[in-house]
């Protein structure tokens, strides 16, 4: 499929109409056009002249092609088509001058017709009436010509939409001699379309600014030579040099140098992260002060940033259930309005001795009230603004449908390890019976081990600045622990079974049982005669977990549930420490899936995990949220990805989602409410074309501005 960026789409209804027409072309059944992103997807076999004709009839045009290979990587680079000599500049970068020009042109026409209209009003009664009518006609043609031609075409092919309604209203107003109103209808409808276009463009532009974090070029090192290359040409194991202030071109590992790096583009975290040799860096992050040489580990198109940008772009394409409903509703709503307008025109004069001219005028006003512009616009700008806001925070929402869902969840299930806890063991309890030997021996045995428990013990040893000797001999005893000879003496380190050679005193045995009941993993250290001490090891709880759970409860999440494979005692301890409302321990991956399904039957459930071993549970929840820090499986499995390595940004994401849902509901209420009020004015015969056009235009401008407020970030108190 070929993808193109389309500009000049004035409203969601127009985009829907173009899509319907494209689907009717030969090879066009899979065509799609997204109003939110302005992306057109069509088959390569489709006739481009026919596509352009359909677009042109609606005032839209193709700005440039989004070649598939560049689609993820250089969303904004220049792509030159050598065969045709065209420069498909991914012009969103400079906000596409052609679009700005088209807006300027429309604005100029509207101002011109506005000036002529004002002149006609002022000269009315001063000069000949025929001249006044000519002025009104000139103003109408200048501002309403394109709408009128589109509407006429639709009328002839019996298609009913906004343009059709406007055209009938224009013809009718002129026919009954209401020149003043007819001209105002044409001008205000033009202003309305222009403002709609501006509103959506503002939301898209905000999204595109976000997408510009992708670097364009890199300084590649090869055989001591430095060359500037495009990032799409970088390959695995290439070395690149990153000077202070420059962007890291793709995911890699620091080969040389030390610096702090700003990863806000990936994680949304403003604080810089220190990086030195051997540490991972993300493409799109900014090198702050030192010089870094980075070995590339992923081609740019596979990097975290490319995936994020691609997902954010894709997120705009999906239609939410609300939008699908609105589009369906608009389809029936327009013909319904036409029937009501016909009844208003015919019933009073035919059956109630009403005046024909008065009621034809009322009927035309009803037609204008029937424009579903504001209604169709209730959702898309709000959704794009919401996705942009969350993406700025390092939270990837893979589509409007998931954003809508996030605002509705009432139950949040958490995996324990790596989500509420750090997934890193630490020494939570210490029992020391021989301080001199305990840390020396533990350090000597564990210092060469890479086991997570060994690392936890070594942290404790190093914290006490103890330098341990090297063991003379060391032997691993399967399922028990380690036996070592240190300074000619035998020592044991491991679980209870590793110290079976000695009789454990009752007091120590009692303490062992207590620590086990607390859900701790025990590592005992003993010599040939006695236990020297014990390390009670637990998974470290994240500092922010308790705060986040409290914030979620405040936001109206009714139930927070922890699911873990750890035993019940550990689960109980972590649950009480973080404040979740329920917890379940001893769960196998399939048990987690069953538990999530069970919860889903009682409410709207989101499951959050670290995305590596939680994929089945994430997939079975109505909404899967992964804590990514860039892991591929997390980005691919979940519907929403927190690019940080913690839960801190989750409450804010839910707040934004709830706000988007509120704004959409509010917009729908306002746009329908104003129409109902205007329609009710027909009963006493008070509805005028002025009121009709202002109610429609007012609603459109209002819903656009309200939707754009989502982009405004409130200052943290």
């Amino acid at each position: 499929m070929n993808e193109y960026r389309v500009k000049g789409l004035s409203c969601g209804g127009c985009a829907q109409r173009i899509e319907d027409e494209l689907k009717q072309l030969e090879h066009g059944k899979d065509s799609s056009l997204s109003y939110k992103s302005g992306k057109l997807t069509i088959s390569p076999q489709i006739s481009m002249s026919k596509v352009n004709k359909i677009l042109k009839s609606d005032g839209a045009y193709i700005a440039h092609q989004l070649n598939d290979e560049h689609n993820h990587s250089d969303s904004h680079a220049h792509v030159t088509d050598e065969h045709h000599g065209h420069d498909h500049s991914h012009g969103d970068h400079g906000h596409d001058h052609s679009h700005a020009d088209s807006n300027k042109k429309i604005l100029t026409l509207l101002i011109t017709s506005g000036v002529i209209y004002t002149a006609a009003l002022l000269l009315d009664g001063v000069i000949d009436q025929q001249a006044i009518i000519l002025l009104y006609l000139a103003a109408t043609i200048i501002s309403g010509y394109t709408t009128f031609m589109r509407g006429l075409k639709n009328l002839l092919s019996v298609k009913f939409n906004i343009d059709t309604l406007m055209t009938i209203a224009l013809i009718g107003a002129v026919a009954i001699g209401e020149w003043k109103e007819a001209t105002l209808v044409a001008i205000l409808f033009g202003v309305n379309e222009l403002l709609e276009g501006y509103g959506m463009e503002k939301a898209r532009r905000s999204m595109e600014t976000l997408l510009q974090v992708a670097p364009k070029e890199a300084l590649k090192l090869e055989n001591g030579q430095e060359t500037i290359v495009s990032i799409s040409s970088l390959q695995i194991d290439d070395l690149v040099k990153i000077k202070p202030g420059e962007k890291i071109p793709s995911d890699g590992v620091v080969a040389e140098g030390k610096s702090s790096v700003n990863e806000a583009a990936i994680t949304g975290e403003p604080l810089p992260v220190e990086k030195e040799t051997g540490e991972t860096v993300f493409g799109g992050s900014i090198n702050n002060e030192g010089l870094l040489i980075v070995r590339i580990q992923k081609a740019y198109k596979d990097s975290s940033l490319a995936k994020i940008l691609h997902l954010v772009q894709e997120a705009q394409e999906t239609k939410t259930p609300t939008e699908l409903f609105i589009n369906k509703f608009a389809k029936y709503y327009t013909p319904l309005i036409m029937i009501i307008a016909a009844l208003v025109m015919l019933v009073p004069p035919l059956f109630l001795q009403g005046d024909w001219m008065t009621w034809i005028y009322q009927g035309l006003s009803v037609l204008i009230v029937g424009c579903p512009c504001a209604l169709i616009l209730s959702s898309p700008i709000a959704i794009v603004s919401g996705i942009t806001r969350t993406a700025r925070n390092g939270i990837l929402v893979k589509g409007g449908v998931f954003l809508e869902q996030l605002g509705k969840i009432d139950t949040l299930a958490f995996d324990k390890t790596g989500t509420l806890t750090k997934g890193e063991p630490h020494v939570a309890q210490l029992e020391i019976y021989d301080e001199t030997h305990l840390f020396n021996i533990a350090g000597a045995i564990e210092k060469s081990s890479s086991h997570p428990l060994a690392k936890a013990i070594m942290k404790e040893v190093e914290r006490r600045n103890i330098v341990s000797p090297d063991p003379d001999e060391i032997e691993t005893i399967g399922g028990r622990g380690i036996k070592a000879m240190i300074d000619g003496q035998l020592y044991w380190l491991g679980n209870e079974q590793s110290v079976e050679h000695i009789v454990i005193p009752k007091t120590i045995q009692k303490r062992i049982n207590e620590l086990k009941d607390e859900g701790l993993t025990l590592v005992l250290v003993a010599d040939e005669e006695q236990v020297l001490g014990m390390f009670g090891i637990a998974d470290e709880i994240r500092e922010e977990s308790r705060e986040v759970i409290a914030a979620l409860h405040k936001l109206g999440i009714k139930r927070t549930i922890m699911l873990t494979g750890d035993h019940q005692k550990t689960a109980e301890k972590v649950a009480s420490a973080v404040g979740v409302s329920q917890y379940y321990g001893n769960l196998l991956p399939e048990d987690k899936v069953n538990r999530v399904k069970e919860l889903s039957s009682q409410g709207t459930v989101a499951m959050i995990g670290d995305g590596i071993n939680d994929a089945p549970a994430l997939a079975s929840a109505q909404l899967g949220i992964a804590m990514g820090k860039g892991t591929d499986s997390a980005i691919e499995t979940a519907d929403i990805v927190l690019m940080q390595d913690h839960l801190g940004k989750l409450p804010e994401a839910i707040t934004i989602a709830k706000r988007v849902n509120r704004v959409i509901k509010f917009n729908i209420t306002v746009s329908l409410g104003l129409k109902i009020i205007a329609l009710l004015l027909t009963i006493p015969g008070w509805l005028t074309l002025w009121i009709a056009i202002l109610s429609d235009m007012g609603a459109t401008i209002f819903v656009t501005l309200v939707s754009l407020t989502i982009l405004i970030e409130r200052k943290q108190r």
Side-chain angles (χ1 to χ4, degrees):
M1 297 296 274
N2 287 346
E3 291 177 351
Y4 299 90
R5 176 74 73 233
V6 170
K7 295 284 180 180
L9 290 171
S10 54
C11 69
C14 315
Q16 187 62 51
R17 184 167 61 249
I18 293 170
E19 186 181 294
D20 292 343
E21 284 187 41
L22 290 172
K23 281 180 189 290
Q24 285 162 21
L25 293 177
E26 192 182 356
H27 309 298
K29 70 175 192 312
D30 295 325
S31 303
S32 71
L33 175 61
S34 163
Y35 174 52
K36 284 184 280 193
S37 64
K39 189 163 98 176
L40 169 67
T41 309
I42 49 174
S43 159
Q45 296 160 287
I46 206 165
S47 158
M48 284 313 287
S49 60
K50 286 180 180 172
V51 171
N52 286 323
K53 196 175 168 190
I54 290 170
L55 290 170
K56 195 178 171 190
S57 72
D58 244 296
Y61 56 91
I62 289 175
H64 54 257
Q65 184 168 0
L66 300 166
N67 282 4
D68 205 25
E69 66 186 286
H70 292 88
N71 201 16
H72 325 298
S73 49
D74 329 53
S75 274
H76 304 277
H78 281 314
V79 182
T80 306
D81 180 342
E82 287 162 21
H83 305 298
H84 303 91
H86 300 312
D87 179 15
H88 299 306
S89 166
H90 280 31
D92 315 27
H93 209 41
H95 305 323
D96 204 301
H97 300 301
S98 50
H99 189 74
D101 292 346
S102 110
N103 275 341
K104 267 187 200 150
K105 189 178 156 195
I106 296 166
L107 194 57
T108 310
L109 290 174
L110 287 171
I111 291 168
T112 309
S113 56
V115 169
I116 297 171
Y117 180 69
T118 310
L121 285 176
L122 295 173
L123 295 170
D124 201 351
V126 179
I127 60 171
D128 183 52
Q129 197 57 35
Q130 298 302 106
I132 296 291
I133 287 174
L134 281 173
L135 284 174
Y136 281 137
L137 186 62
T140 306
I141 290 168
I142 289 169
S143 58
Y145 173 74
T146 51
T147 303
F148 184 73
M149 291 315 288
R150 287 199 305 255
L152 210 54
K153 195 180 108 191
N154 290 336
L155 201 54
L156 294 171
S157 53
V158 203
K159 270 190 199 153
F160 298 114
N161 59 25
I162 300 161
D163 298 323
T164 322
L165 294 181
M166 280 295 165
T167 302
I168 295 170
L170 274 176
I171 294 168
V174 167
I176 62 170
E178 292 287 353
W179 287 98
K180 199 188 291 181
E181 267 97 336
T183 311
L184 186 71
V185 165
I187 292 171
L188 289 182
F189 188 66
V191 171
N192 201 12
E193 282 209 314
L194 184 71
L195 290 170
E196 256 186 70
Y198 271 139
M200 196 66 220
E201 199 58 27
K202 169 83 180 101
R204 282 192 205 124
R205 216 168 273 182
S206 170
M207 174 69 80
E208 283 156 2
T209 309
L210 176 86
L211 297 179
Q212 282 168 28
V213 295
K216 310 291 173 291
E217 295 169 330
L219 194 59
K220 185 176 165 184
L221 296 177
E222 203 166 14
N223 306 324
Q225 296 291 309
E226 294 180 5
T227 42
I228 293 174
V229 297
S230 108
I231 56 162
S232 55
S233 70
L234 287 177
Q235 293 177 339
I236 295 168
D237 279 341
D238 280 353
L239 284 176
V240 290
K241 185 177 186 179
I242 298 123
K243 296 172 186 168
E246 288 184 344
K247 285 179 183 170
I248 293 166
S250 189
D251 297 0
V253 167
V254 177
E256 278 176 51
K258 189 178 179 181
S259 180
S260 69
V261 168
N262 180 341
E263 294 182 344
I266 307 292
T267 65
E269 300 280 22
L271 296 176
V273 184
E274 293 296 329
K275 299 286 180 183
E276 52 187 53
T277 309
E279 295 200 335
T280 307
V281 287
F282 293 118
S285 43
I286 300 165
N287 178 19
N288 284 336
E289 65 287 310
L291 185 72
L292 291 177
I293 307 290
V294 169
R295 185 175 297 283
I296 298 297
Q297 287 197 311
K298 283 182 184 175
Y300 178 76
K301 68 177 195 305
D302 300 321
S303 70
S304 304
L305 182 69
K307 282 184 177 168
I308 291 169
L309 300 187
H310 184 57
L311 286 171
V312 168
Q313 283 176 307
E314 292 294 301
Q316 300 175 76
E317 313 302 325
T318 57
K319 283 197 170 93
T320 67
T322 306
E323 281 180 283
L324 292 170
F325 169 74
I326 288 171
N327 287 346
K328 208 170 183 181
F329 178 75
K331 223 174 229 175
Y332 298 108
Y333 169 79
T334 310
L336 180 71
I337 285 291
M338 294 188 79
I339 293 164
I340 293 171
L343 292 172
V344 168
M345 286 178 194
L346 300 172
V347 172
L350 288 176
F351 303 105
L352 306 166
Q353 287 86 48
D355 176 57
W356 277 100
M357 288 308 239
T358 306
W359 287 101
I360 285 172
Y361 179 85
Q362 288 279 303
L364 295 175
S365 305
V366 169
L367 279 182
I368 291 171
V369 170
C371 289
C373 294
L375 186 66
I376 290 170
L377 212 62
S378 299
S379 178
I381 297 178
I383 293 282
V384 173
S385 301
I387 290 171
T388 306
R389 266 293 303 279
T390 52
R392 275 189 208 152
N393 278 331
I395 297 157
L396 290 188
V397 181
K398 289 192 188 175
V401 60
F402 303 123
L403 189 67
E404 202 171 279
Q405 192 85 310
L406 183 64
K408 291 177 182 170
I409 58 167
D410 52 29
T411 305
L412 199 45
F414 296 86
D415 171 52
K416 176 185 78 74
T417 310
T419 304
L420 293 169
T421 65
K422 289 184 178 174
E424 292 170 12
H426 79 124
V427 176
Q429 287 279 0
L430 254 180
E431 293 294 316
I432 305 167
Y433 306 122
D434 181 339
E435 191 162 356
T436 321
H437 284 95
L438 175 65
F439 296 107
N440 249 333
I441 302 307
I445 295 174
E446 297 285 45
K447 67 176 168 186
S448 57
S449 171
S450 59
H451 192 284
L453 295 183
K455 285 182 181 169
I457 290 169
M458 283 312 294
K459 257 191 202 163
E460 191 62 37
V461 171
E462 283 158 13
R463 200 170 62 78
R464 293 162 187 267
N465 298 320
I466 290 165
V467 180
S468 311
D470 290 324
D472 307 327
E473 289 171 34
I474 197 157
E475 180 193 343
T476 302
I477 307 158
R480 296 183 175 207
I482 295 168
K483 183 179 174 183
M485 177 77 76
I486 300 163
D487 296 334
Q489 182 115 16
L490 271 175
Y491 294 96
W492 285 261
L493 178 147
N495 56 24
E496 270 183 278
Q497 291 166 296
S498 68
V499 293
E500 280 177 347
H501 62 282
I502 53 177
V503 177
I504 297 172
K506 277 184 183 165
T507 50
I508 295 179
Q509 189 60 55
K510 183 172 176 254
R511 191 69 188 122
I512 288 173
N513 297 339
E514 284 169 2
L515 293 174
K516 273 163 60 180
D517 283 347
E518 282 179 34
L520 297 175
T521 300
L522 295 189
V523 175
L524 286 75
V525 181
D527 58 17
E528 290 178 84
E529 292 161 12
Q530 60 171 358
V531 175
L532 305 174
M534 292 182 280
F535 296 90
I537 296 174
D539 190 357
E540 195 170 351
I541 293 168
R542 292 177 182 274
E543 300 82 13
E544 78 282 354
S545 290
R546 188 170 187 86
E547 212 175 288
V548 167
I549 301 288
L552 292 171
H553 286 154
K554 232 182 236 170
L555 281 172
I557 304 290
K558 294 190 184 76
R559 295 182 301 167
T560 49
I561 294 152
M562 185 182 80
L563 309 174
T564 179
D566 270 354
H567 45 79
Q568 201 66 8
K569 280 284 177 195
T570 308
E572 185 185 342
K573 195 176 178 192
V574 174
S576 66
V578 299
V580 290
S581 41
Q582 279 170 274
Y583 62 91
Y584 298 97
N586 297 319
L587 300 178
L588 296 170
E590 57 267 32
D591 299 330
K592 286 187 187 179
V593 170
N594 294 334
R595 191 64 71 180
V596 166
K597 282 182 179 165
E598 191 184 304
L599 292 167
S600 300
S601 64
Q602 300 157 22
T604 308
V605 178
M607 167 77 192
I608 178 161
D610 57 10
I612 296 152
N613 52 0
D614 302 311
L618 290 180
S620 59
Q622 280 122 314
L623 197 63
I625 304 174
M627 293 188 7
K629 192 77 179 185
T631 60
D632 294 351
S633 59
I635 292 178
E636 276 149 33
T637 312
D639 307 315
I640 294 174
V641 185
L642 309 179
M643 295 305 293
Q644 313 80 28
D645 200 20
H646 58 75
L647 294 172
K649 302 259 179 172
L650 183 61
E652 193 179 351
I654 293 174
T655 305
I656 293 168
K658 281 180 179 289
R659 192 164 157 213
V660 168
N661 287 354
R662 273 200 311 275
V663 163
I664 292 171
K665 274 183 196 153
F666 178 72
N667 285 348
I668 292 169
T669 309
V670 166
S671 46
L672 283 178
L674 282 174
K675 289 188 188 307
I676 290 164
I677 291 165
L679 289 174
L680 289 174
L681 291 176
T682 57
I683 298 167
W686 294 346
L687 182 63
T688 65
L689 285 171
W690 301 71
I691 292 173
I693 192 76
L694 285 169
S695 79
D696 181 61
M697 183 179 157
T700 304
I701 295 168
F702 189 66
V703 302
T704 301
L705 293 174
V706 169
S707 297
L708 288 174
T709 60
I710 294 167
L711 287 169
I712 301 162
E713 300 198 28
R714 292 171 184 165
K715 291 274 176 269
Q716 296 294 312
R717 280 190 291 278

